[in-house]
Amino acid sequence: MLEPSHNNELPTIPGKRYFTIGEVAELCAVKAHVLRYWEQEFPQLSPVKRRGNRRYYQRADVITIRQIRSLLYDQGYTIGGAKQKLSSHEAKDDTSQYKQLIRQMITELEDVLEVLNAPVK
């Protein structure tokens, strides 16, 4: 059975280029085996594979995973329904993805403002 999210606020995505599967699992509040399964089901997910078949996800992958998680866990879509939603033109206009990006940017700007307002030593 799917676990609903108890806290809709996921951690802020750090400003890195690549993330390991463990980092993505934490950032998206899902287990690593779920991510590997979603890779098989959703063609939009294609992490870079390097030495030893290790997966490295990019920021866009993390956002897509969060969108998939939202569709499945929060909005109640089935895997098939989520696939259709992501592959349709609606996915590009989906406000939840934009809201996540905006929240991320606000958090990063608040961090910059905090640094700028810190007293000079």
Side-chain angles (χ1 to χ4, degrees), residues 2 38 42 44 63-88 90-91 94 96-97 100:
L2 297 177
W38 286 354
F42 296 93
Q44 295 88 345
I63 292 169
T64 301
I65 290 166
R66 285 183 171 193
Q67 188 175 16
I68 291 168
R69 182 188 183 283
S70 174
L71 288 170
L72 296 175
Y73 294 177
D74 300 332
Q75 298 175 40
Y77 280 80
T78 62
I79 294 281
K83 277 187 201 180
Q84 283 182 333
K85 178 91 169 151
L86 285 175
S87 65
S88 73
E90 293 175 20
D94 194 335
S96 68
Q97 183 176 11
Q100 282 183 344

Side-chain angles (χ1 to χ4, degrees), residues 48-56:
V48 177
K49 290 191 181 176
R50 296 218 177 122
R51 186 177 44 153
N53 223 14
R54 289 180 174 241
R55 291 164 169 82
Y56 291 94

Side-chain angles (χ1 to χ4, degrees), residues 26-37:
E26 279 186 34
L27 289 170
C28 298
V30 294
K31 301 203 181 217
H33 70 270
V34 173
L35 292 172
R36 288 190 290 272
Y37 173 70

